[in-house]
Amino acid sequence: MKKNKFFALLLALCALPMWAEGVLQVIPRPAVCQEGDGTFVFSKKVNVYTDAYPGDSIRLVFNRFAQKLQAAAGVQCKEAEAGKAALLLKLNSQLGPEAYTLQVTPKQVCIEAARPAGFFYALQTLQQLLPTRAVLAGQPVAKGTKLTLPAVSISDEPRFGWRGFMLDEGRHFFGKDEIKKLLDVMAAYKLNRFHWHLTEDQGWRIEIKKYPRLTEVGAWRNSKVLGWGEVKPDGQRYGGFYTQQDAREIVAYARERFIEIVPEVDIPGHSQAAVASYPEFLACDPQNAHEVWLWQGVSPDVINVSNPKAVEFAKDVVDELTDIFPFGYLHLGGDECPTNKWEQNADCQKQLAEIGSTKYRDLQIHFYRQLQDHIAAKPQAQQRKLIFWNEVLHGNTAPLGTDITIMAWVGADAAAKDAAQRGLRTILTPQIPYYINRRQSDLKSEPRSQGHGTETVEAVYNYVPMAGVDADLQKRYMGVQANFWTEWVEEPNVVEYLMFPRLAAVAEAGWTPQSLRKYNDFLNRLQKESEYYQLRGVDYGKHVIK
Ligand code: ACM
């Protein structure tokens, strides 16, 4: 071979990356991926082998995928012995709880995982490797589309165990169908925690049987828009709530997609809707009128934590939430809780002296401590670990011990480090840039929303979780989460427009090793998502996707 021909070949070989950028349009990008030669073609009948698993869970995971495949493309999956199967799902106990391997050759597709979640995630990747997003979106595949998979060898597992998305339904209410749609997209991106912000000054959205006025009164207000600046409440009766049956249905739907639901009742601040429902024992000033709030911002009308009946109320709410939501975490809020009303209240002043503090923030901690003790007395299956927003760090958290989790949003990196140094677990939800309700560009076509267009897809993507954190503290970082607050957003399509594709960027931060994360590569892979969004019927920000 001539010398320059040899060098040209060598150069060409070196230029062949392990993962040709933008070719395999999988999001989040897998940890290890090696492309092979040829393709696997789905015939109309596919023999499938699945290893046994308690509760037949692997088969259940596979069957849900098989039903989609049949509905979308008429492919029938049939059980077969391992030796005769083209699709194999095999247990590999060496892998982590959410890890999987996926080997595709022209003859066979083989998935290995240790747990059902790993098989589920392998099947999400597999669906993204198909030439169409129709199967993933649950839509019929266009006539003439050949269902193929490129030969590939993937070995994948998440960087973080907590990969979340929070939706505020206190300010605006979107309903079950919308939540299910968002859960579908979360699952496609291998997100595994839906943090459901269910209560606010402006609305209480979950039925609590012992306190019916929470939803008879607290779920309704006299304005759809929330007043701010020049904008005034519009006088339109607005509201809605989830019955416990609705919430259980959502929990089951999420669990089928390996998403756990973390309910949040934000108490004792952000609680004006609850106070308006039961002012006689929740208000610091029951003699005054209280209504569900019509405005944006932080209401001073907080729960009177020194009233034993208010503590009893909170315990009862925790009991019913524990019964509805089986996941081991419960979020009690704790952000932006003004103490002015406590400072003016004789019972609060007395309680502060009794607990030996001079800081009113510590009354809030004392309130949580009583709820924590209440939970600790429950049977094992009803134990819940508490999560709080990072403002609780302004109080003395010592009475709560170290078995709590701090969700770090304001000054997030410093707050998370503070939490970790106190021995607490932490989750990164930095307001800038992970509040994906803020404008994602300064284009005139952007819908009305908060911010200045600086939380671009690129800015969201380029946030580096846990940057510069010492190795000994890193074990306390559970993961990342995008948050969506809805003061400015009334319609589900606007929620979607702002969420997507930024949620995909956060999902990749939660899953993919930092060393593999490159915005241009992400952008290339993102181009395929427009097909998915359109087929699944979700709106999305178009300025970065053609
Ligand atoms: C928050 O953004 N108030 C948690």
Side-chain angles (χ1 to χ4, degrees):
M1 195 184 296
K2 279 219 180 99
K3 210 170 165 191
N4 46 2
K5 251 197 175 165
F6 171 80
F7 275 116
L9 183 64
L10 195 67
L11 263 177
L13 279 174
C14 292
L16 264 183
M18 289 248 297
W19 168 286
E21 301 222 329
V23 174
L24 295 186
Q25 289 176 303
V26 178
I27 292 178
R29 178 181 173 137
V32 179
C33 180
Q34 179 83 58
E35 289 181 64
D37 291 325
T39 52
F40 174 87
V41 183
F42 278 92
S43 49
K44 284 288 172 201
K45 285 198 167 59
V46 182
N47 284 338
V48 181
Y49 169 82
T50 50
D51 262 343
Y53 194 87
D56 218 8
S57 306
I58 300 176
R59 206 184 315 250
L60 284 177
V61 167
F62 182 77
N63 284 350
R64 281 188 205 111
F65 162 73
Q67 279 158 15
K68 278 172 84 182
L69 196 62
Q70 163 132 43
V75 172
Q76 275 188 322
C77 293
K78 221 175 89 214
E79 277 178 48
E81 298 162 24
K84 294 193 177 137
L87 235 163
L88 293 102
L89 285 79
K90 296 193 338 201
L91 274 173
N92 178 347
S93 59
Q94 304 300 309
L95 297 175
E98 295 183 296
Y100 68 92
T101 64
L102 171 64
Q103 311 280 342
V104 180
T105 67
K107 287 213 169 86
Q108 207 174 56
V109 177
C110 182
I111 294 170
E112 292 188 10
R115 305 261 184 93
F119 291 100
F120 180 78
Y121 291 138
L123 291 168
Q124 301 310 110
T125 299
L126 185 152
Q127 289 172 81
Q128 291 185 345
L129 289 171
L130 292 170
T132 166
R133 288 285 194 265
V135 179
L136 188 66
Q139 295 296 323
V141 167
K143 262 211 165 87
T145 307
K146 201 154 110 183
L147 279 195
T148 57
L149 294 170
V152 73
S153 173
I154 291 176
S155 176
D156 202 11
E157 73 176 324
R159 179 178 183 203
F160 292 113
W162 188 289
R163 305 177 302 281
F165 169 67
M166 185 218 79
L167 182 65
D168 160 24
E169 288 216 274
R171 272 56 176 257
H172 286 100
F173 175 76
F174 304 103
K176 269 193 304 188
D177 289 346
E178 185 60 22
I179 299 300
K180 287 182 179 174
K181 200 200 271 192
L182 301 183
L183 289 168
D184 281 352
V185 187
M186 284 180 67
Y189 293 144
K190 304 184 176 83
L191 292 163
N192 65 354
R193 304 284 181 256
F194 176 53
H195 169 175
W196 208 356
H197 186 84
L198 285 164
T199 70
E200 262 305 335
D201 292 315
Q202 298 91 343
W204 184 284
R205 306 282 174 225
I206 180 78
E207 175 190 33
I208 300 294
K209 292 192 192 285
K210 200 160 180 187
Y211 299 94
R213 270 158 49 197
L214 285 172
T215 41
E216 287 163 8
V217 175
W220 306 93
R221 63 172 186 255
N222 289 323
S223 182
K224 184 172 189 190
V225 299
L226 290 172
W228 87 100
E230 295 298 298
V231 175
K232 299 283 176 285
D234 60 15
Q236 202 179 316
R237 176 115 168 117
Y238 175 84
F241 65 93
Y242 294 99
T243 63
Q244 296 198 355
Q245 191 49 40
D246 291 336
R248 288 182 209 282
E249 185 184 323
I250 296 287
V251 166
Y253 192 89
R255 285 199 141 186
E256 279 189 3
R257 288 153 184 76
F258 292 85
I259 297 169
E260 294 288 1
I261 297 199
V262 188
E264 179 188 355
V265 289
D266 199 349
I267 48 176
H270 285 278
S271 293
Q272 189 171 320
V275 172
S277 306
Y278 292 97
E280 61 274 26
F281 56 85
L282 292 181
C284 296
D285 51 350
Q287 70 282 7
N288 294 329
H290 298 266
E291 65 165 4
V292 177
W293 216 29
L294 307 180
W295 297 89
Q296 295 198 21
V298 177
S299 162
D301 206 359
V302 304
I303 290 174
N304 178 359
V305 286
S306 72
N307 187 334
K309 282 196 175 153
V311 177
E312 217 45 53
F313 163 85
K315 288 180 184 171
D316 292 337
V317 168
V318 164
D319 288 349
E320 293 199 27
L321 290 177
T322 303
D323 192 46
I324 306 166
F325 297 101
F327 188 43
Y329 288 84
L330 176 61
H331 201 311
L332 293 182
D335 56 323
E336 300 174 320
C337 180
T339 57
N340 317 46
K341 291 217 175 197
W342 297 343
E343 289 162 34
Q344 288 149 23
N345 180 288
D347 292 333
C348 291
Q349 291 162 5
K350 188 161 158 266
Q351 189 175 66
L352 190 67
E354 279 164 12
I355 66 169
S357 174
T358 53
K359 274 167 66 183
Y360 277 88
R361 184 67 54 223
D362 289 338
L363 281 190
Q364 189 179 342
I365 305 286
H366 181 65
F367 178 68
Y368 294 143
R369 173 64 209 250
Q370 292 169 81
L371 300 180
Q372 198 183 36
D373 287 348
H374 176 69
I375 294 168
K378 287 174 178 287
Q380 187 59 33
Q382 290 168 32
Q383 292 296 310
R384 297 291 181 268
K385 293 182 193 301
L386 296 179
I387 306 180
F388 303 101
W389 297 110
N390 65 265
E391 285 95 322
V392 298
L393 296 175
H394 298 158
N396 172 18
T397 55
L400 297 173
T402 54
D403 199 11
I404 61 167
T405 303
I406 300 298
M407 213 165 243
W409 72 279
V410 57
D413 285 356
K417 209 178 266 186
D418 179 5
Q421 280 163 345
R422 293 189 202 199
L424 314 178
R425 292 180 297 272
T426 187
I427 296 163
L428 291 162
T429 66
Q431 179 184 33
I432 309 293
Y434 274 15
Y435 277 21
I436 56 173
N437 51 284
R438 297 169 64 87
R439 290 167 69 89
Q440 58 178 317
S441 82
D442 54 12
L443 294 174
K444 288 223 162 37
S445 54
E446 282 272 296
R448 182 172 72 79
S449 47
Q450 200 180 7
H452 308 286
T454 44
E455 280 69 58
T456 60
V457 178
E458 185 168 9
V460 173
Y461 191 83
N462 284 337
Y463 173 74
V464 178
M466 227 163 54
V469 173
D470 292 345
D472 62 323
L473 292 184
Q474 289 190 9
K475 61 178 182 293
R476 308 221 166 93
Y477 284 69
M478 296 169 73
V480 294
Q481 180 173 296
N483 292 341
F484 199 113
W485 301 97
T486 60
E487 287 97 329
W488 297 60
V489 179
E490 293 139 30
E491 306 301 340
N493 68 305
V494 181
V495 173
E496 294 165 9
Y497 177 92
L498 292 165
M499 266 179 86
F500 304 117
R502 291 186 290 183
L503 189 68
V506 178
E508 190 146 303
W511 185 281
T512 304
Q514 182 61 35
S515 60
L516 295 182
R517 294 180 57 227
K518 309 245 171 1
Y519 180 63
N520 283 340
D521 167 48
F522 174 71
L523 209 51
N524 280 337
R525 282 176 286 121
L526 203 53
Q527 301 312 306
K528 187 81 179 160
E529 294 307 282
S530 58
E531 187 201 358
Y532 175 54
Y533 296 145
Q534 283 167 28
L535 286 171
R536 187 61 192 85
V538 296
D539 208 344
Y540 60 100
K542 320 257 180 327
H543 50 289
V544 296
I545 308 183
K546 282 165 209 100

